[in-house]
Amino acid sequence: MDHFLYRDGVLHAEDVPVPDIARVVGTPLYIYSAATLRRHFQVFDEALAGMDHLICYSVKANSNVAVLKLMGDMGAGVDVVSGGEYMRAKAAGIPGERIVFSGVGKTRAEMRLALEGGIRQFNLESEPEMRALSEVATAMGVTVPVTVRMNPDVDARTHEKIATGKSENKFGIPIDRARAVYDEIRALPGLHAIGIDVHIGSQLTDLQPFRAAYEKVAQLTALLRADGHDITRLDLGGGLGIPYEHGNEAPPLPMEYGQVIRETVGDLDCEIEIEPGRLIAGNSGIMVSSVIYLKQGEGRDFLILDAAMNDLVRPSMYDAHHDIVPVTEAEPGVDRLPHDIVGPVCESGDTFAKARPLPPMKDGDLVAFRSAGAYGAVMASEYNSRPLIPEVLVDGDHFAVIRARPTYEEMIARDMVPEWL
Ligand code: LLP
């Protein structure tokens, strides 16, 4: 459920008409709903009720500091995968003891940064990384809690670019090496293994792969405990999918996901962490764009927008579907005709949707891309020298720009021409 609804034929973000925001801020832009973000956090919190747990929002989905502050204020922890994300979490006021550091290639500089600023745990992904963290922690005179990310070799049945839990993927350590790895950690100074980590992929629309992975985690917990390791924390990753085609898809609910957690690892007396990103941020955001031209092609009409693949890359990168809706609803009974919806960037890949039925549109009309709050703004680039688009947060009847649109001058000022040129 989200808070982007039509009232009197006009799309609203909570209580604010979308055209009002577009008028003030300009298009294209992202709009997020605070109420939806809060609700999605609460739904997970309720799903894990009764279990000792921490919801570590996955910063990569939407890393705006205002969004992180909103999450942090509700008691969320965060999952970060870079020094930059760590610094954003700190800038949002999230204490180190609620920050988990994941990722396959943490550098020594990133390890130092997090150890200086405080960290809940590192999720380690390889033996060389374990040894590097041991060296860094020892040099700083600290002992750091760690988990090891296991690769459970389960098929997440999602898009190949976002599946991570098969043995051929670069992520984690094969589960059959686990005992040797935990024994090595015990022998390394500066590290204390306190748990197990797993994350099998993103946009999962079936609970079975979660169940299969978490059953393996439960078995491993018993094995490692028998070896004398003090396993008290299980990080179960993120990945629960969202409906992108409203009305046509019904992925499992957080409550059902929570039940799988309860059934597989609920009685192990461990603190449970999960790292949802998309389910919290995805349907909490829309991207709003204006029609620049309606162009007639051979047998099809092109709707040329002021947003492009650099602003929202998911359709060209993953063939992802986003519902695209007119901000002002058409009169009932108006015919919908197929449109190819494209941006102005100079490649054919800059296509958001093909043959999408839309009522007649004209220059200046607004459209909204739904489900754009996760992996939207964070994956944007300045390709074709298009400045990054602004982000707005709505809360009830008011809104604020939470990232401004840079001017051309600001964008260009980062380049430097050497004086010898
Ligand atoms: N934890 C780890 C270690 C991850 O790698 C990810 C996502 C998450 C948590 C959060 O997963 P979520 O709950 O959001 O599914 N750019 C792609 C998605 C990449 C996901 C990468 N890892 C997309 O636009 O679909």
Side-chain angles (χ1 to χ4, degrees), residues 1-3 5 36 39-40 283:
M1 202 206 103
D2 62 46
H3 290 75
L5 298 171
T36 315
R39 184 186 143 76
H40 290 163
N283 281 320

Side-chain angles (χ1 to χ4, degrees), residues 44 56-61 79-81 102-103 123 125 149 159 161-162 164 171 197-204 235-241 244 274-280 313-314 317-318 320 322 374-376 378-379:
F44 272 118
C56 294
Y57 167 67
S58 185
V59 170
K60 63 171 77 67
D79 167 53
V80 303
V81 292
S102 302
N123 293 336
E125 296 224 17
R149 177 165 174 184
H159 190 286
K161 285 189 186 154
I162 52 175
T164 55
F171 300 96
D197 171 44
V198 70
H199 168 79
I200 55 173
S202 194
Q203 186 54 18
L204 272 69
D235 183 332
L236 302 175
L240 193 58
Y244 277 96
I274 55 170
E275 303 171 348
R278 190 191 310 266
L279 200 137
I280 289 182
V313 77
R314 302 192 69 259
M317 192 155 174
Y318 314 113
H322 285 263
Y375 307 112
V378 286
M379 293 180 78

